[in-house]
Amino acid sequence: LAKTTQPISMDSYEGQEVNITCSHNNIATNDYITWYQQFPSQGPRFIIQGYKTKVTNEVASLFIPADRKSSTLSLPRVSLSDTAVYYCLVGSYLRGRQLTFGSGTQLTVLP
Amino acid sequence: DAGVTQSPTHLIKTRGQQVTLRCSPKSGHDTVSWYQQALGQGPQFIFQYYEEEERQRGNFPDRFSGHQFPNYSSELNVNALLLGDSALYLCASRTRQGPQETQYFGPGTRLLVL
C-alpha cells in the first residue's frame, strides 16, 4: 500500500486559501488519491478524489503533478468551520486492496 | 436519501463484556467496512463485508467479528472487551461497481470500556 506523508498540523486565518500537500512516492499505477475531512467525534467526510492533473468541486481543488508522487488539496477562503483533520489516502479497491488512513493534518483556522 | 447510519451513538461497557454495533449502509451500497479510531489516530481498517461474507480483514484479533445481512446492513461484534478497545467505531459503505468508488462513512459509535 502506498504510504502517505502529510504535515501534522497547519494554522491559517479566515478568508485565506489553504494548501495541504501530501507525499506519496510509491503510488501505484492504479491508485487514486482521495481526501477526507473529519470533525471531532464524527465520521470522515469525502472531500475530493482524483487520478491526475486537476480536479475541482464545490468545496476544494486537488492538484496532482505529472509524476503523481504528491498531491495538494486546496481549500479556497477558509472559515472557522473548516477547522478539522484532513486525511490524504492513496489506493485502489482493485484486487481487494483497502484504503489506509494516516495520521492526517490538523488544520486550525483562526479568526 | 439517508446516508450511512450507525447505532448506538454511545456505549459504555466493562472489561470482559461483549458488544454489538450496528450499521445501515447508504442506499444503493452493498459493501460495508468497519474501522476503529482511537483518540488522536486515523481510522484503522477492521474488516469488510460483501455478499454476506468477510472479504478483507485488517490486523485485528478474532475477538472482532462481524456479519452482513441480506439487506446489506452489518453488525460488528467484539468479545472479551479490553480497555484498549475504547474507541470510535466507524462504518463505511460503497458500491463495487468500479475500482475506486467513493466510500461514505457513518457518524460512528463511541465505545468506552471501563
Side-chain angles (χ1 to χ4, degrees):
Chain A
L1 294 175
K3 178 178 169 58
T4 60
T5 302
Q6 308 173 230
I8 294 174
S9 64
M10 294 180 67
D11 290 343
S12 181
Y13 292 95
E14 279 191 293
Q16 288 189 333
E17 177 184 74
V18 170
N19 296 309
I20 306 175
T21 296
C22 178
S23 297
H24 29 80
N25 291 320
N26 60 339
I27 187 170
T29 302
N30 294 318
D31 287 345
Y32 284 70
I33 300 156
T34 309
W35 285 81
Y36 282 87
Q37 174 195 56
Q38 187 177 29
F39 299 111
S41 296
Q42 293 186 24
R45 182 176 76 100
F46 172 82
I47 302 175
I48 199 166
Q49 178 178 280
Y51 183 80
K52 62 181 179 181
T53 62
K54 177 183 174 182
V55 180
T56 298
N57 62 21
E58 63 276 10
V59 299
S61 295
L62 179 60
F63 299 92
I64 305 169
D67 65 6
R68 304 202 325 125
K69 293 184 183 299
S70 67
S71 59
T72 299
L73 174 71
S74 180
L75 304 172
R77 298 180 299 281
V78 294
S79 64
L80 297 178
S81 63
D82 293 316
T83 294
V85 178
Y86 291 81
Y87 293 99
C88 164
L89 287 77
V90 173
S92 167
Y93 295 124
L94 286 179
R95 294 179 292 280
R97 293 173 62 193
Q98 294 300 321
L99 298 188
T100 302
F101 283 82
S103 298
T105 297
Q106 171 66 57
L107 172 65
T108 301
V109 180
L110 306 169
Chain B
D1 176 25
V4 180
T5 60
Q6 294 186 241
S7 63
T9 56
H10 296 82
L11 206 50
I12 299 176
K13 293 285 187 179
T14 57
R15 281 180 298 175
Q17 285 190 312
Q18 178 264 343
V19 68
T20 297
L21 311 181
R22 296 175 177 81
C23 170
S24 291
K26 182 177 171 64
S27 178
H29 288 185
D30 56 9
T31 300
V32 173
S33 297
W34 286 92
Y35 292 79
Q36 179 195 66
Q37 186 173 26
L39 207 58
Q41 310 272 334
Q44 300 296 308
F45 173 72
I46 303 175
F47 44 53
Q48 178 190 89
Y49 276 82
Y50 170 60
E51 290 185 338
E52 302 178 47
E53 289 190 17
E54 183 183 298
R55 301 293 180 171
Q56 294 288 323
R57 190 178 183 91
N59 188 26
F60 280 80
D62 57 12
R63 297 187 298 110
F64 289 77
S65 63
H67 189 77
Q68 186 179 34
F69 300 93
N71 66 353
Y72 307 120
S73 66
S74 176
E75 288 182 348
L76 164 65
N77 301 292
V78 186
N79 294 322
L81 285 167
L82 305 174
L83 296 180
D85 294 332
S86 294
L88 180 67
Y89 287 85
L90 297 162
C91 171
S93 73
R94 65 181 177 91
T95 68
R96 293 178 65 87
Q97 293 177 354
Q100 197 58 28
E101 295 301 322
T102 300
Q103 186 164 242
Y104 292 88
F105 285 81
T109 294
R110 173 71 65 184
L111 172 65
L112 178 61
V113 182
L114 301 176

